[in-house]
Amino acid sequence: MNQLRLFTWPVVGLYALAFLSGTAVTGAPLDTVKPESVGMSTERLSRIAPAMQRYIDDGFVAGTVTLVARRGQIVHFEARGYRDVDSKAPMTRDNIFRLASMTKPIASVALMILWEEGRVGLQDPVAKYLPEFEDVEVSTTGDASGNTGSLEPPKSPMTVRQLLSHTAGLANSYIGNRTFFGEYIRKPPPTDTLEKLVQRLAELPLNYHPGTQWQYSLATDVVARLVEVISGMSFDAFLRQRIFEPLDMMDTSHFLDRSKAGRLASRYRAGETGRIVLADPGSTQSPLVSGPKTRFRGATGLLSTADDYLRFQQMMLNGGQLDGVQLLGRKTVELMFANHTGDMPVWVFPTGVGFGLGYAVLLDRGAAATPQTEGTVSWGGAFGTWFWVDRKEELIGLLMYQVSPNNHLSIRNDFITLVSQAIVD
């Protein structure tokens, strides 16, 4: 029962050849090698399995997929438990997961592709491309409704860089009038487009003056809308043509065809005891398969497999290229992985963490109480997905499960520890 520990990282969260299990994966992104060949321990990586199994056996998660890659090689890749508990369908390595906020790094890369082409500037005012933000005002009380206190003009215009670093001032569901914000944003029917969602967001007062605070928000939805306006393409088409097809991420999309519905992991919520209760079945019954497919968001919404998401982050770890495809320049990746928030508190993390362009950045491992290396970038999704990229160790860790809320679990921290303790060289 010790796994029911408070987890402070964001909710907003393989063995060597002899240990590989689950469904065989075709077109795996990297070769699988003996851990010792890349400075990791087979025996120590074997500790991951029983740790994940305890969460499954105690009813806190249905199943997990865990993946570790170092120096461009997979050393651990395992599926455990169930894709769906009621049907006893086993979790497999090619199961498809709701990424939730792990959509954000991909959306951020999409905009940075356009930045590299000289089509948008990081210091450009957002209103240059989205005029609905031209007359936005700031609430003096941080109340998104604007009903208390007064409104005043922003001291400086909201910029593209501030959107990418969550310092743009946008109203959100974390600070301010949460009820009002949630009702206001959720009023439109699900058939509404990203354009309409962003227009509604622009009607709300800002919570704070741009550039003065870090507040998690729907800023990456605005990033996605910028991609649409600047490229002249729908966001989903841009992702498909400029990122997913070049990187061979063929199982990544906002919605699923019926042919892939059988691989969608069921989503669970935490019940009163913290144990799982079914929320969205992973089948053709899911709205991700049968519902309207009209809103393609950047802050959330993508579906993917562990394989596909590893391909994306390995591209970033490689300095913007994978398998001969140069998606970004090396200096662009360095810029995205730099801290853009100074000493602003990034309050979804412990102390010692800053934020780059689409990624959290570890600044002080002691303050954050993590074995990861300073400069490690990471992010997670509300439904239980999590990754980190440690450039110094040339290591990527990836955890996939589907439970929300999950801040009562320590599974992410446990996985970070289990992977880090297996590094021996």
Side-chain angles (χ1 to χ4, degrees):
M1 296 295 294
N2 62 351
Q3 52 265 52
L4 196 63
R5 299 194 299 271
L6 180 63
F7 179 63
T8 55
W9 296 74
V11 177
V12 208
L14 308 77
Y15 290 88
L17 291 173
F19 296 101
L20 285 170
S21 66
T23 300
V25 177
T26 59
L30 308 174
D31 291 332
T32 300
V33 300
K34 186 176 181 180
E36 283 73 14
S37 69
V38 291
M40 299 193 76
S41 164
T42 298
E43 181 277 327
R44 285 177 168 266
L45 284 171
S46 71
R47 298 173 182 177
I48 295 173
M52 297 299 106
Q53 193 63 48
R54 284 193 293 272
Y55 284 97
I56 296 166
D57 292 344
D58 289 341
F60 294 119
V61 302
T64 61
V65 172
T66 48
L67 193 157
V68 182
R70 194 178 193 210
R71 298 174 187 167
Q73 312 290 328
I74 293 174
V75 296
H76 168 101
F77 191 2
E78 185 181 41
R80 303 193 69 83
Y82 299 106
R83 173 183 63 78
D84 180 79
V85 173
D86 291 344
S87 66
K88 302 300 181 187
M91 186 72 81
T92 58
R93 298 187 312 183
D94 67 345
N95 279 154
I96 295 171
F97 296 84
R98 302 157 188 79
L99 293 182
S101 286
M102 272 173 43
T103 302
K104 290 178 171 70
I106 295 176
S108 300
V109 164
L111 187 59
M112 293 304 290
I113 290 173
L114 296 172
W115 175 78
E116 284 195 334
E117 294 173 352
R119 301 170 71 179
V120 60
L122 291 179
Q123 303 294 5
D124 286 349
V126 175
K128 175 180 177 180
Y129 308 95
L130 301 176
E132 56 262 43
F133 287 97
E134 184 70 48
D135 298 321
V136 69
E137 294 184 291
V138 180
S139 170
T140 59
T141 62
D143 180 0
S145 69
N147 292 332
T148 59
S150 60
L151 301 177
E152 61 187 21
K155 295 178 181 177
S156 60
M158 177 195 309
T159 68
V160 172
R161 186 177 78 102
Q162 289 165 349
L163 289 176
L164 290 162
S165 60
H166 289 285
T167 58
L170 293 172
N172 60 73
S173 61
Y174 301 92
I175 294 179
N177 190 326
R178 299 179 61 178
T179 301
F180 176 86
F181 177 85
E183 291 177 350
Y184 192 86
I185 291 299
R186 294 187 181 97
K187 279 181 181 179
T191 52
D192 271 3
T193 62
L194 173 66
E195 178 182 9
K196 291 183 178 179
L197 174 67
V198 170
Q199 286 173 346
R200 288 185 63 80
L201 183 61
E203 293 172 2
L204 293 174
L206 302 182
N207 269 13
Y208 57 96
H209 289 277
T212 63
Q213 296 184 40
W214 187 94
Q215 286 191 23
Y216 195 57
S217 71
L218 300 186
T220 322
D221 281 329
V222 186
V223 167
R225 180 60 185 151
L226 284 174
V227 170
E228 291 188 329
V229 170
I230 295 166
S231 70
M233 302 170 64
S234 66
F235 184 56
D236 64 313
F238 186 93
L239 293 183
R240 184 171 61 256
Q241 294 180 28
R242 302 298 301 272
I243 298 178
F244 300 154
E245 290 178 356
L247 293 182
D248 196 23
M249 296 171 61
M250 305 313 294
D251 281 330
T252 305
S253 61
H254 277 89
F255 299 98
L256 285 182
D257 295 330
R258 287 183 175 270
S259 63
K260 295 184 179 182
R263 290 196 283 137
L264 178 62
S266 293
R267 178 170 65 85
Y268 296 85
R269 62 179 176 84
E272 292 183 3
T273 64
R275 289 170 173 79
I276 57 174
V277 177
L278 183 64
D280 179 20
S283 68
T284 55
Q285 302 173 51
S286 172
L288 298 171
V289 179
S290 61
K293 301 178 181 181
T294 54
R295 185 184 297 171
F296 302 93
R297 298 180 58 186
T300 186
L302 280 177
L303 307 163
S304 192
T305 61
D307 274 330
D308 272 13
Y309 207 78
L310 174 63
R311 287 191 69 81
F312 179 81
Q313 296 301 347
Q314 187 67 50
M315 175 274 297
M316 295 297 285
L317 178 57
N318 291 350
Q321 68 85 25
L322 181 69
D323 294 343
V325 174
Q326 190 79 44
L327 211 65
L328 290 176
R330 177 174 62 85
K331 301 304 290 185
T332 301
V333 175
E334 291 176 1
L335 177 63
M336 293 183 70
F337 286 0
N339 179 35
H340 287 252
T341 56
D343 58 0
M344 297 178 191
V346 177
W347 43 258
V348 297
F349 283 92
T351 58
V353 177
F355 206 87
L357 304 181
Y359 291 80
V361 183
L362 178 63
L363 304 178
D364 187 333
R365 64 193 304 216
T370 177
Q372 296 166 314
T373 310
E374 279 89 352
T376 292
V377 297
S378 63
W379 203 241
F383 299 139
T385 55
W386 176 257
F387 79 90
W388 74 95
V389 178
D390 187 328
R391 288 176 290 168
K392 181 178 180 181
E393 297 292 348
E394 299 178 79
L395 183 141
I396 298 171
L398 185 60
L399 169 65
M400 302 288 220
Y401 67 100
Q402 299 279 256
V403 179
S404 179
N406 52 52
N407 59 337
H408 61 294
L409 302 177
S410 189
I411 189 170
R412 293 176 176 176
N413 279 337
D414 289 350
F415 184 57
I416 290 169
T417 299
L418 290 161
V419 173
S420 298
Q421 60 86 38
I423 299 172
V424 294
D425 179 21

